[in-house]
Amino acid sequence: MNDDLKALIRTIPDFPKPGIQFRDITTLLLDANGLATAVDRMAAAAPGSIDLVAGIEARGFLFAAALAVPLKAGCLLIRKDGKLPGATIAEDYALEYGEDRIAMHADACAPGARILLVDDLIATGGTARAAVRLLRKAGAEVVQAQFLIDLPDLGGAVALAADGVPVASLVAFPGH
């Protein structure tokens, strides 16, 4: 399933370091039909009524904005800390070597808002899990997380599901 979309995603070996198979979505984004098909399929997989589609910086913004239109929802941006003006709330998360921090506007969503979390790819799930914690800190209900690509060998989707968030993706690639 979704082999048509998978064929539009280019693999670049040994980027950004040896042993990594980088899944490049820019080739899918360049294909108007492929992009429209991906958005249509993601929208069709969304569960019920959604108040906001939250996109994780940066490629998640592309899909979040595109999905918000057919879902008749707003678009919430989750950014690296320090990139948003005004009052924000933030969440730390671990990286392979160190920590990072994501943030959103403190007034971006009302308590009880139904959120669809979106990004282009889930690998280990660290950023997505931090985004879920951040949204829950704001009082939101994360009803689903969607990704164009899942790298199941890295376990992120399983970890996110263990946090109580249903996960959907269009394509999966083995390895990392």
Side-chain angles (χ1 to χ4, degrees):
M1 196 157 100
N2 296 317
D3 287 341
D4 55 337
L5 298 178
K6 193 171 190 176
L8 295 172
I9 299 167
R10 173 173 53 186
T11 298
I12 300 175
D14 299 320
F15 183 83
K17 61 183 184 179
I20 301 295
Q21 298 294 310
F22 186 82
R23 308 305 176 173
D24 180 17
I25 66 162
T26 61
T27 46
L28 180 137
L29 296 173
L30 287 166
D31 186 290
N33 185 55
L35 176 58
T37 299
V39 171
D40 288 347
R41 290 179 188 167
M42 291 174 86
S49 174
I50 302 295
D51 296 312
L52 296 168
V53 181
I56 299 172
E57 186 169 349
R59 292 177 298 269
F61 293 174
L62 301 169
F63 292 99
L67 282 167
V69 174
L71 295 177
K72 298 184 182 346
C75 183
L76 186 158
L77 303 182
I78 297 177
R79 302 213 54 195
K80 293 179 180 173
D81 195 31
K83 299 288 186 176
L84 292 168
T88 61
I89 58 173
E91 183 72 25
D92 294 324
Y93 64 100
L95 297 170
E96 187 176 356
Y97 299 104
E99 277 195 359
D100 211 341
R101 187 171 173 88
I102 55 173
M104 63 183 239
H105 282 119
D107 61 356
C109 69
R114 291 175 50 84
I115 307 291
L116 170 62
L117 179 65
V118 176
D119 205 354
D120 67 318
L121 181 142
I122 185 161
T124 63
T127 307
R129 293 176 76 202
V132 168
R133 290 191 306 272
L134 181 62
L135 290 162
R136 287 176 174 165
K137 186 186 292 185
E141 176 189 1
V142 182
V143 297
Q144 186 184 55
Q146 281 198 32
F147 305 91
L148 177 66
I149 301 169
D150 181 15
L151 303 179
D153 294 345
L154 297 179
V158 171
L160 202 52
D163 290 344
V165 179
V167 178
S169 60
L170 295 181
V171 299
F173 287 96
H176 59 286

